[in-house]
Amino acid sequence: MKLHFDANQDYQLAAIAAVVRLFEGQARVGAGLELSLTTGIAAVPNRLDLSPEDLLANLQAAQKISGLAPDPALRTITGDCTTTDGTRTVSFPNFSVEMETGTGKTYVYLRTALELHRVYGLRKVIVVVPSVAIREGVLKTLAMTREHFAGLFDNAPYRYSVYDSDNLSQVRQFAMSDGVEFLVMTIDSFNKATNIIHQSTDRLQGETPIHLLQATRPVLILDEPQNFESDLRVRALVQLRPLLALRYSATHRNPYNVVYRLTPYEAYRQGLVKKVEVAGVTERASENRVFLRLDGFRTSARTIAARIAVHRLLATGQVKEAVVTVTAGESLEAKANRSEYGPYVVEEIDVSGRRVRFSNRIEINQGEAVGPDRERIFAEQIRYTIERHLRRQHLLRARGIKVLSLFFIDQVANYRGPDGRPGLIRQLFDRAFDDLKGQHDEWRDLQPEAVQAAYFAQSRRKGGDLVYEDSTSGEARKDQEAYDLIMRDKERLLSFEEPTCFIFSHSALREGWDNPNIFQICTLNQSVSETRKRQEIGRGVRLAVDQSGQRVRDDMVNVLTVAANQSYEAYCRDYQAEVEAELGSAERSPKPRNARDTTTVRLRKEFQLRPEFKELWQRIARKTRYAVHIDSSRLIDEVLTDLASAAIEPPRIVVSTGAMTVTTDGKGFDVRHVGERLGDYASHHGQRRNVLALMEDLMERTTPPMRLTRRTMAAIVQGCDRQAEALRNPHEFATVCVRLIKSRLRQQLVDGIRYEKLDEWFRMEQFALEFQTWKDLLVPSEHSAYDHVAVDSAVERRFAEDLERRDDVKLFIKLPTWFVVPTPIGDYNPDWAVVVEPRDAFGQPTGDERLYLVRETKDTTDLTGLRPEEAMKVRCGERHFHEALGVSYRVVTSAAEILP
């Protein structure tokens, strides 16, 4: 299997463009080895010539385009950096990109770095990560995208490596290379003075590794930067002496200058992530038993107290969970208002050990609960997850999709005992799997140990690899194989040839790691999970892939089920509270659905035998391919006309004058701005580019399908009567010119597209015999191919309900996600196919030929009110159906508008 990447996803392109806009006006810097006479260190560095005022103006312009409120100031990190010539103060700007987990954040920042090199010549990039799991994920993405990026960037060479203190030659290679270099580092590898990176070594001829990195003025990419907010870690980042930092996360704790934001709601609305459903597993009618849970401690100068959850008796006679605060010597009987708690008198509160001991010798640790039957809850969670897994795999196997399940546990001993024997959770899993596997033939002969693997990050590590005291032991080899499979060999894990499909882990996989085919997440904790819900869900929200490595864009497939150890209502409440705390109440995330509130939708097999269905399918199911005719002469004329009136500012040197005056208190000085003068940069700089170099720059800035031939590009450059201005400020000219070219070319891509029929059809056999979805998304149907119609918006619900009420509608289909029309900006999945029998004013059939229609439902029929990519796909849909297939196609807002 080889995973495929889509180069034309609009939200990813927008995130990349937002960062590239930050450096408008920066001339492209060529590669050149520089030797510092002060330090004697040779390196090929990055360079940024823009002033803070220029960066702020660019930031505000980028934020405006992204629909964000402009920041009033440029946020920087400032600190003291130890260099070869002493301590110096370093200040570097930080910019943030916020993207929901599972939407390709790593892909975006790697492609952004390559784009910054193509446009501005920046070539030294350090990716800083907080954990081994995230580091392995970054390295895996770098490996998987190499061929993809080679096609996008004309095989521009780039190299990546992971920082390893045992292989410091990579640091010298990074510093002296004139190509694009990615260095992936964990923050712990350079955040202490004792790290090897801060020590001079004979392996580098006496040089200190950190000084070589400083000499490159690297661009930092901070992956999950909320983990780098401590003073220690901020100081470590300063020691790299970066040119700037780009921060990428779904949950920024400290949002520095956000230039692009993709919220959870937008990701959900656009179908970029899986939908989430929750199956809550809790005990009922257990309030009469003694229940304790140690939630935390409160300390002050005089007292130490513990916060303990109990089942308190209320004045109404109800028993409810409540958190009480107790000190040593206090009884829980009064706090809970129940005699059952009489034996529970606090004997000792051990803050350092995070535990509380009672007079009846019962002891609980923080996060631990006493009272509920945890084994029964674990057993039900595990059984539900396995049953859901087996059923889902049965439905998806025919589509080439392997199902994976992830189990989170909070104590390794619950899975693997100290003597290596199975712990409670593994025993429960083995028992449930053996009990359920007989229901499906493909699982019948598999043993539990063949389908599960675990990663707990317990073993010592050296250079990122597992190291065992006894590397020859069978357990050690098994752990090594599990680590390689889970962390490094995503393709094999996704293959049907690999039987492993149930993964067990704890916090090591709660951030950074994910897999597109995680369909179930089971949280097995001694108490209600304290792990953040978004963090847990993030491991499985990425859209699934099939055995060919292609992304599956089917809402009925892309559903993540969480088997939680709390009620559905409580889980959703906690999840929503997290989103609001992180993003504000205005950015609410869609509420996860109740996994137990689903039903099975079934295909009416006899429906496909009906003559009207066969005729409809014969008309609409033929595949096409498109060709685009670009009128080069028209394009050249339009771009030249636009260029004639476009603003192309010449570069200038600004000479500002200030006067120093004594402050009114006589204790300091103020600088008062008194004037400035603009000088001609070109007359001083003396560097002008020729027309050929300018044309090459324009070619580099356009990518398929927006790339022009050299002849067309040359005609634009040579036909422009502003060549003097272009050669004086080639970067500004190229920026303006490319923007105008793309605008005009986008119009012609739609106007000039033509579809031709192929001798290929979508097959009726592709309709799933059944699928599961939530009841509140369904509309009961007598006129559709399925017994219910699954809708995803209020507009679609009204449309389906109205079609059901119309006597002239013989049948209709919500077209499945695999029914797509190719377009220059990605596949288009139309909404509805309808068969109408014409009726007269009295509702009687007219005898006229039936109408076979394709309709797209939107909130508006005005295409200018749609997002540009939506409008472009609609126009392509019209060419495909109306012109190539002869089928009526329209955008409608209601069923009343379906007739031609």
Side-chain angles (χ1 to χ4, degrees):
M1 176 192 290
K2 182 172 69 174
L3 295 177
H4 296 267
F5 296 87
D6 184 352
N8 296 306
Q9 298 196 77
D10 297 302
Y11 71 97
Q12 293 182 343
L13 296 178
I16 295 166
V19 174
V20 173
R21 287 189 193 101
L22 292 171
F23 310 107
E24 288 286 354
Q26 166 73 21
R28 193 176 193 279
V29 178
L33 188 67
E34 296 184 6
L35 175 65
S36 170
L37 298 179
T38 304
T39 65
I41 293 179
V44 178
N46 290 324
R47 196 181 81 211
L48 186 62
D49 300 323
L50 300 180
S51 69
E53 292 76 18
D54 293 332
L55 284 174
L56 177 58
N58 287 343
L59 167 67
Q60 293 169 338
Q63 289 173 325
K64 183 177 180 181
I65 293 174
S66 297
L68 301 171
D71 284 325
L74 191 67
R75 293 197 60 185
T76 62
I77 287 178
T78 302
D80 291 334
C81 174
T82 304
T83 65
T84 56
D85 55 349
T87 300
R88 63 170 62 188
T89 299
V90 171
S91 182
F92 57 95
N94 284 243
F95 306 99
S96 300
V97 173
E98 189 173 286
M99 295 180 65
E100 176 65 352
T101 301
T103 56
K105 168 173 57 70
T106 306
Y107 171 91
V108 165
Y109 69 60
L110 295 177
R111 183 169 169 183
T112 298
L114 293 172
E115 188 70 14
L116 290 176
H117 169 257
R118 187 177 67 82
V119 179
Y120 303 116
L122 300 176
R123 62 192 69 241
K124 300 300 173 68
V125 180
I126 297 179
V127 181
V128 184
V129 300
S131 68
V132 171
I134 296 179
R135 186 193 67 188
E136 293 297 329
V138 174
L139 293 172
K140 185 62 180 177
T141 302
L142 279 162
M144 292 189 301
T145 55
R146 180 175 283 282
E147 182 178 338
H148 172 77
F149 286 149
L152 286 179
F153 293 95
D154 294 330
N155 291 308
Y158 66 93
R159 180 179 177 273
Y160 65 89
S161 57
V162 58
Y163 172 76
D164 182 355
S165 60
D166 288 341
N167 185 15
L168 294 178
S169 62
Q170 291 181 329
V171 176
R172 185 182 294 281
Q173 162 73 23
F174 178 85
M176 300 189 69
S177 168
D178 61 358
V180 179
E181 292 279 341
F182 290 95
L183 182 64
V184 185
M185 305 178 73
T186 59
I187 187 72
D188 290 336
S189 67
F190 66 96
N191 67 347
K192 303 179 188 68
T194 55
N195 291 133
I196 290 175
I197 198 170
H198 297 292
Q199 302 168 19
S200 62
T201 173
D202 291 339
R203 286 180 286 168
L204 291 176
Q205 291 76 49
E207 292 176 347
T208 304
I210 193 74
H211 294 158
L212 284 171
L213 297 182
Q214 290 173 354
T216 67
R217 302 304 313 280
V219 170
L220 298 189
I221 291 179
L222 307 183
D223 195 324
E224 306 295 352
Q226 65 272 18
N227 295 289
F228 306 141
E229 297 293 346
S230 68
D231 291 342
L232 176 65
R233 292 187 167 188
V234 170
R235 287 197 298 270
L237 298 177
V238 169
Q239 295 308 309
L240 293 173
R241 201 186 167 209
L243 194 68
L244 56 99
L246 303 175
R247 311 165 75 93
Y248 289 81
S249 177
T251 54
H252 289 281
R253 184 185 305 170
N254 194 351
Y256 289 76
N257 299 134
V258 178
V259 297
Y260 178 79
R261 173 173 289 147
L262 178 68
T263 65
Y265 176 78
E266 270 301 303
Y268 184 94
R269 187 186 70 80
Q270 296 182 37
L272 307 178
V273 293
K274 290 190 181 90
K275 295 181 174 65
V276 179
E277 62 179 18
V278 178
V281 180
T282 58
E283 284 186 296
R284 291 184 179 176
S286 63
E287 292 84 0
N288 290 324
R289 291 191 299 165
V290 169
F291 166 76
L292 305 172
R293 186 181 67 243
L294 179 56
D295 283 355
F297 301 89
R298 282 184 181 173
T299 60
S300 65
R302 296 184 178 182
T303 62
I304 297 175
R307 297 175 63 250
I308 299 177
V310 299
H311 282 165
R312 175 191 280 170
L313 177 62
L314 304 180
T316 60
Q318 292 181 299
V319 175
K320 293 289 186 180
E321 181 179 315
V323 177
V324 300
T325 301
V326 293
T327 58
E330 285 192 289
S331 170
L332 291 182
E333 182 176 2
K335 298 284 185 178
N337 195 27
R338 294 176 60 193
S339 60
E340 291 92 332
Y341 284 89
Y344 290 87
V345 177
V346 178
E347 184 175 277
E348 180 186 0
I349 299 175
D350 183 359
V351 177
S352 60
R354 316 303 290 177
R355 63 178 178 267
V356 170
R357 188 170 60 210
F358 297 94
S359 57
N360 60 358
R361 298 186 180 181
I362 289 180
E363 186 174 279
I364 57 174
N365 299 311
Q366 183 168 350
E368 185 179 356
V370 173
D373 190 342
R374 291 301 169 193
E375 181 173 338
R376 289 181 59 190
I377 292 177
F378 281 177
E380 178 57 30
Q381 285 182 270
I382 292 169
R383 186 178 184 87
Y384 178 89
T385 302
I386 295 174
E387 191 170 10
R388 191 76 165 183
H389 181 113
L390 300 184
R391 288 184 178 182
R392 189 165 267 161
Q393 186 61 88
H394 177 71
L395 292 173
L396 298 183
R397 183 177 292 274
R399 299 187 61 173
I401 301 170
K402 180 180 177 180
V403 174
L404 302 175
S405 292
L406 176 62
F407 294 83
F408 280 131
I409 67 176
D410 57 0
Q411 294 186 29
V412 177
N414 279 337
Y415 182 82
R416 179 189 298 159
D419 56 358
R421 291 189 296 178
L424 172 64
I425 286 175
R426 179 156 181 192
Q427 294 176 38
L428 294 173
F429 175 86
D430 292 353
R431 193 180 308 154
F433 181 80
D434 280 335
D435 187 38
L436 293 168
K437 67 181 184 180
Q439 300 176 11
H440 302 277
D441 291 341
E442 62 266 33
W443 299 93
R444 198 180 303 276
D445 297 329
L446 287 172
Q447 298 304 311
E449 57 268 20
V451 298
Q452 62 183 295
Y455 170 57
F456 299 120
Q458 282 186 303
S459 305
R460 291 192 301 111
R461 297 192 176 281
K462 183 178 180 182
D465 293 321
L466 291 174
V467 177
Y468 298 94
E469 299 299 338
D470 179 11
S471 61
T472 62
S473 73
E475 193 67 33
R477 286 196 300 272
K478 186 176 181 180
D479 282 353
Q480 179 70 62
E481 291 170 359
Y483 175 80
D484 290 339
L485 176 65
I486 295 169
M487 304 298 292
R488 294 177 171 174
D489 202 349
K490 185 178 291 187
E491 295 91 341
R492 184 160 66 91
L493 183 59
L494 288 168
S495 168
F496 282 132
E497 297 176 3
E498 170 55 54
T500 300
C501 53
F502 296 98
I503 301 168
F504 291 82
S505 188
H506 56 13
S507 58
L509 293 187
R510 280 195 175 125
E511 192 173 59
W513 182 89
D514 63 30
N515 189 291
N517 285 19
I518 296 290
F519 284 94
Q520 289 77 224
I521 291 177
C522 182
T523 58
L524 302 170
N525 305 288
Q526 295 288 0
S527 62
V528 171
S529 173
E530 295 181 359
T531 302
R532 302 182 73 80
K533 302 296 182 281
R534 287 189 73 197
Q535 199 177 77
E536 286 180 339
I537 288 174
R539 302 316 103 217
V541 295
R542 195 178 296 275
L543 298 183
V545 299
D546 59 22
Q547 293 298 290
S548 67
Q550 295 286 355
R551 198 73 63 187
V552 177
R553 301 187 184 278
D554 187 337
D555 289 345
M556 297 300 104
V557 169
N558 287 306
V559 178
L560 173 67
T561 304
V562 179
N565 60 333
Q566 63 186 123
S567 69
Y568 160 74
E569 293 80 7
Y571 189 98
C572 293
R573 183 179 63 245
D574 292 347
Y575 175 72
Q576 293 281 10
E578 280 182 22
V579 174
E580 290 188 26
E582 291 165 356
L583 302 176
S585 58
E587 297 294 349
R588 292 182 62 87
S589 177
K591 181 181 178 181
R593 296 183 179 275
N594 191 341
R596 301 185 186 277
D597 194 23
T598 62
T599 190
T600 300
V601 178
R602 292 180 172 83
L603 179 70
R604 293 192 177 96
K605 296 181 181 179
E606 73 281 0
F607 207 81
Q608 298 181 7
L609 302 177
R610 293 172 58 173
E612 56 267 33
F613 180 83
K614 289 183 177 181
E615 179 65 22
L616 172 69
W617 200 248
Q618 182 67 24
R619 290 175 181 246
I620 70 172
R622 192 165 187 173
K623 296 183 179 181
T624 63
R625 64 183 176 191
Y626 68 83
V628 179
H629 171 71
I630 300 296
D631 187 337
S632 299
S633 298
R634 174 187 155 199
L635 177 66
I636 293 168
D637 291 342
E638 289 175 341
V639 172
L640 289 177
T641 300
D642 293 340
L643 274 172
S645 57
I648 303 174
E649 297 294 333
R652 291 284 189 269
I653 292 177
V654 180
V655 181
S656 298
T657 307
M660 184 175 292
T661 60
V662 179
T663 57
T664 55
D665 60 7
K667 296 181 179 180
F669 293 93
D670 278 337
V671 177
R672 179 167 50 89
H673 184 266
V674 297
E676 67 181 23
R677 175 174 59 84
L678 297 178
D680 185 349
Y681 179 84
S683 64
H684 295 280
H685 195 264
Q687 290 188 1
R688 295 172 179 251
R689 301 179 67 185
N690 58 37
V691 173
L692 182 60
L694 178 60
M695 194 182 77
E696 290 296 325
D697 192 11
L698 288 169
M699 293 294 295
E700 285 186 3
R701 288 174 180 243
T702 54
T703 55
M706 298 295 182
R707 176 164 289 173
L708 304 182
T709 64
R710 291 182 181 276
R711 177 175 297 180
T712 301
M713 194 68 81
I716 292 173
V717 174
Q718 293 172 356
C720 178
D721 58 3
R722 305 179 67 180
Q723 286 192 16
E725 296 170 81
L727 296 177
R728 185 177 294 112
N729 193 350
H731 181 85
E732 174 72 8
F733 175 81
T735 300
V736 172
C737 190
V738 167
R739 174 172 54 81
L740 297 176
I741 288 172
K742 287 183 177 180
S743 175
R744 292 295 185 177
L745 193 54
R746 186 175 289 109
Q747 295 175 15
Q748 287 210 28
L749 282 175
V750 175
D751 296 342
I753 195 168
R754 295 291 181 271
Y755 284 88
E756 61 180 48
K757 292 184 285 189
L758 301 174
D759 289 330
E760 300 176 26
W761 281 261
F762 290 105
R763 296 178 292 106
M764 290 187 188
E765 293 80 5
Q766 291 178 259
F767 281 96
L769 296 178
E770 63 182 35
F771 61 87
Q772 276 198 321
T773 190
W774 302 283
K775 294 177 182 177
D776 62 344
L777 294 182
L778 297 178
V779 175
S781 176
E782 296 294 333
H783 295 93
S784 179
Y786 288 89
D787 54 13
H788 289 77
V789 179
V791 297
D792 54 19
S793 69
V795 172
E796 287 192 355
R797 176 175 293 278
R798 288 194 303 270
F799 188 80
E801 290 172 343
D802 289 346
L803 289 182
E804 280 293 323
R805 288 192 285 263
R806 290 183 59 143
D807 291 337
D808 59 341
V809 172
K810 299 295 292 181
L811 64 87
F812 66 93
I813 312 168
K814 180 72 162 58
L815 290 168
T817 54
W818 45 261
F819 190 101
V820 294
V821 177
T823 81
I825 58 170
D827 288 340
Y828 161 56
N829 172 223
D831 284 338
W832 307 90
V834 186
V835 178
V836 175
E837 182 180 62
R839 301 292 178 99
D840 61 22
F842 302 99
Q844 299 300 313
T846 64
D848 294 335
E849 184 178 352
R850 288 176 177 147
L851 303 176
Y852 298 89
L853 318 172
V854 175
R855 295 294 182 257
E856 181 75 18
T857 43
K858 298 290 185 185
D859 289 320
T860 176
T861 57
D862 180 6
L863 297 189
T864 61
L866 302 178
R867 290 183 292 121
E869 61 273 14
E870 285 184 303
M872 188 171 180
K873 287 183 177 181
V874 165
R875 292 190 180 101
C876 291
E878 185 176 16
R879 298 291 175 87
H880 165 85
F881 287 108
H882 185 68
E883 296 183 4
L885 301 186
V887 175
S888 172
Y889 172 92
R890 282 179 56 195
V891 176
V892 298
T893 61
S894 70
E897 302 171 354
I898 62 170
L899 295 181

